[in-house]
Amino acid sequence: MSDRRQDPEREHPIQDSLSLSVETLRHKGALHELSGVILRHGGDVSSVAILDSGHEIETISFEVNELEDHAGLLEDLQAIEGVQRVKENPALKQIFGKRIIIIGGGAQVGQVAVGAVAEADRHNLRGERISVDTIALVGEENIAEAVRASSRLPRVRVVVLAGSLMGGEIEVAVREVRERGLEVISLNMAGSVPDAADLVVTDAVQAGVMAVMAASSTAAFRISRLKKRVF
Amino acid sequence: MSDRRQDPEREHPIQDSLSLSVETLRHKGALHELSGVILRHGGDVSSVAILDSGHEIETISFEVNELEDHAGLLEDLQAIEGVQRVKENPALKQIFGKRIIIIGGGAQVGQVAVGAVAEADRHNLRGERISVDTIALVGEENIAEAVRASSRLPRVRVVVLAGSLMGGEIEVAVREVRERGLEVISLNMAGSVPDAADLVVTDAVQAGVMAVMAASSTAAFRISRLKKRVF
């Protein structure tokens, strides 16, 4: 019994993609121009990021699938005016993998991170890639905004809310990102957020461990299959 | 005395930017087409990400500066065939801010994260935004690759290497990303990585705290101004 068929990453194996970074003189049309050259080569951009934005030379990195001709694309990119250097890289998805995001108060975020990092270590030792990211914040609006923004970051699977009182707009944001396919774990706390979460965990370290287990494609753990929702 | 004039983020104030996400039917040319419409409106794309890549409907989010006409851009994007929805968002830079990345063995990464998250909390309470990201990894090649890839992620300022023995290819990667403008903090450990780092710290929690202090634009702490390099 395996859920692997449902994992979209397995339908688009990461080995097929070309990851490249292009250093170019900063100008407004750079992204449009580079993506046009990739498109002409039949490439499908699955990931893109702009680095050093605002500097004279900026780097735009792409992960491209379905390319017909790697060498030809690299040559054509290199030939564009302003392009300084084109480099092939290992794909970010292969390096940093799936992401857990822990949001909330510093004391509890730190403890959830301890659990999540230790569990991610165990998974990554066996060939997976799971990374653990955090943002320590105070205030209903700030936290709600960060929860919503998590669904606009690449490769995020699980959000953990680590605090002692969260409700109101944060509860609304939790329901929104669950609609978008993220799983949400809440510490057992005051306020309405635990009611809106997929899973409620009392111990902060365990919440981190369970978040990584939920994101893993090798673990037998699936939140949707649990008979209890509060631990 | 302030370093603020040297901070590129202050030269391009984040308030000016429009952050938007476009939900579109997945097709190869989507990025090229959307970036073309933004360019026609005079927009300069400072950040871009593709979400739900591989799904039938994907979301492409942009942060755009120097726009002449916000409403006109939103209308023209909405009018593109296949576009389901265009939404304005708060900018990711405003929400997650500068990033620290902690790389290494789970036990030590977790402790560095505790220090970094607690310190980020104190900065974020005063209006900054600093987030703390981690990846627990084993093996010289894997760690070297992650160090190099850190310089291809957006908004990263400081990398912390948390382990007990690191050298060889990791040392080379550390020197490369320092060339690219990242600051590197190493735990005091065996191997050649401490020699290659900007700063060496013995206590894991303190290494995390110092990483956040180094990334902060409000703290008086600057690694380049320290008289000692090993703590």
Side-chain angles (χ1 to χ4, degrees):
Chain A
M1 291 243 303
S2 160
D3 280 298
R4 293 189 177 190
R5 271 165 303 162
Q6 274 127 51
D7 189 333
E9 274 172 28
R10 301 203 169 261
E11 291 162 34
H12 302 270
I14 50 190
Q15 288 76 7
D16 288 345
S17 71
L18 172 71
S19 176
L20 45 90
S21 48
V22 182
E23 289 177 21
T24 175
L25 283 178
R26 172 181 160 63
H27 68 104
K28 270 189 189 180
L31 178 66
H32 182 60
E33 194 171 12
L34 297 173
S35 59
V37 172
I38 294 170
L39 183 63
R40 278 210 307 282
H41 282 266
D44 185 26
V45 177
S46 65
S47 172
V48 54
I50 300 176
L51 308 171
D52 309 322
S53 173
H55 291 76
E56 197 193 342
I57 307 245
E58 66 183 14
T59 302
I60 306 185
S61 69
F62 295 93
E63 301 194 16
V64 186
N65 301 310
E66 301 178 24
L67 260 187
E68 289 147 16
D69 171 16
H70 284 209
L73 171 63
L74 295 174
E75 260 174 45
D76 284 2
L77 289 171
Q78 187 68 66
I80 294 175
E81 203 189 316
V83 167
Q84 312 288 299
R85 203 158 75 115
V86 181
K87 232 181 90 186
E88 262 191 83
N89 302 306
L92 290 175
K93 210 196 294 182
Q94 279 172 306
I95 298 171
F96 294 103
K98 299 170 184 176
R99 298 165 72 185
I100 313 298
I101 303 214
I102 309 166
I103 302 170
Q108 285 158 298
V109 168
Q111 291 311 302
V112 176
V114 166
V117 167
E119 181 67 11
D121 203 28
R122 301 172 76 216
H123 287 266
N124 296 348
L125 279 167
R126 290 179 294 175
E128 274 196 286
R129 285 298 169 95
I130 300 177
S131 55
V132 177
D133 301 347
T134 73
I135 176 94
L137 287 174
V138 72
E140 182 180 329
E141 276 308 317
N142 290 337
I143 293 173
E145 203 172 56
V147 170
R148 288 195 174 100
S150 298
S151 73
R152 303 200 307 276
L153 292 172
R155 297 175 281 106
V156 175
R157 298 303 164 91
V158 182
V159 172
V160 184
L161 288 164
S164 299
L165 167 65
M166 293 189 191
E169 199 51 39
I170 307 172
E171 182 202 337
V172 178
V174 165
R175 296 192 191 275
E176 282 176 25
V177 299
R178 287 184 61 198
E179 282 284 311
R180 295 205 48 150
L182 296 188
E183 289 191 309
V184 178
I185 297 180
S186 170
L187 290 190
N188 201 346
M189 66 170 94
S192 57
V193 158
D195 293 333
D198 291 283
L199 187 68
V200 180
V201 184
T202 303
D203 180 78
V205 172
Q206 187 179 63
V209 172
M210 283 187 167
V212 171
M213 289 168 70
S216 165
S217 49
T218 61
F221 184 88
R222 285 280 174 279
I223 288 179
S224 56
R225 291 190 196 161
L226 296 175
K227 296 207 175 85
K228 273 174 70 178
R229 213 184 57 82
V230 180
F231 290 85
Chain B
M1 288 243 304
S2 159
D3 280 297
R4 294 188 177 191
R5 270 164 304 160
Q6 274 127 53
D7 189 332
E9 276 172 27
R10 300 202 169 263
E11 291 162 33
H12 301 270
I14 51 191
Q15 289 76 8
D16 288 346
S17 71
L18 172 70
S19 174
L20 46 90
S21 48
V22 182
E23 289 176 22
T24 175
L25 282 178
R26 172 181 159 65
H27 67 104
K28 269 188 190 181
L31 177 67
H32 183 60
E33 194 171 13
L34 297 174
S35 60
V37 172
I38 293 170
L39 183 63
R40 278 209 308 281
H41 281 268
D44 185 27
V45 177
S46 65
S47 172
V48 54
I50 300 176
L51 308 172
D52 309 321
S53 173
H55 292 75
E56 197 193 342
I57 307 248
E58 65 183 17
T59 302
I60 307 185
S61 69
F62 295 94
E63 302 196 15
V64 186
N65 300 311
E66 300 178 24
L67 262 186
E68 289 147 17
D69 172 15
H70 284 209
L73 171 62
L74 295 175
E75 260 173 46
D76 284 2
L77 289 171
Q78 187 68 67
I80 295 175
E81 203 190 316
V83 167
Q84 312 288 299
R85 202 158 76 114
V86 181
K87 232 181 90 185
E88 262 192 82
N89 304 305
L92 290 174
K93 210 194 294 182
Q94 279 172 307
I95 297 171
F96 294 102
K98 299 171 184 175
R99 298 165 72 185
I100 314 297
I101 304 216
I102 309 165
I103 301 170
Q108 284 158 298
V109 168
Q111 291 311 304
V112 176
V114 166
V117 167
E119 182 67 12
D121 203 28
R122 302 172 75 218
H123 287 267
N124 295 349
L125 279 166
R126 290 178 294 175
E128 273 196 285
R129 285 298 168 97
I130 299 176
S131 55
V132 177
D133 301 346
T134 73
I135 177 95
L137 286 174
V138 70
E140 183 179 330
E141 277 308 317
N142 290 336
I143 293 173
E145 204 172 55
V147 171
R148 289 195 175 100
S150 299
S151 73
R152 304 200 306 276
L153 293 173
R155 297 175 282 107
V156 174
R157 298 304 164 91
V158 181
V159 172
V160 184
L161 287 163
S164 298
L165 168 64
M166 293 189 191
E169 200 52 40
I170 308 173
E171 181 201 336
V172 179
V174 165
R175 295 191 191 277
E176 281 175 26
V177 299
R178 287 184 60 198
E179 281 284 310
R180 296 204 48 148
L182 296 188
E183 288 191 310
V184 179
I185 297 180
S186 170
L187 290 190
N188 201 346
M189 65 170 96
S192 56
V193 159
D195 293 334
D198 292 283
L199 188 67
V200 180
V201 184
T202 303
D203 179 78
V205 172
Q206 187 178 66
V209 172
M210 283 186 167
V212 171
M213 290 167 69
S216 164
S217 50
T218 60
F221 184 89
R222 286 279 173 279
I223 288 178
S224 57
R225 289 190 198 160
L226 295 175
K227 296 208 174 86
K228 273 173 70 177
R229 213 183 58 81
V230 181
F231 290 87

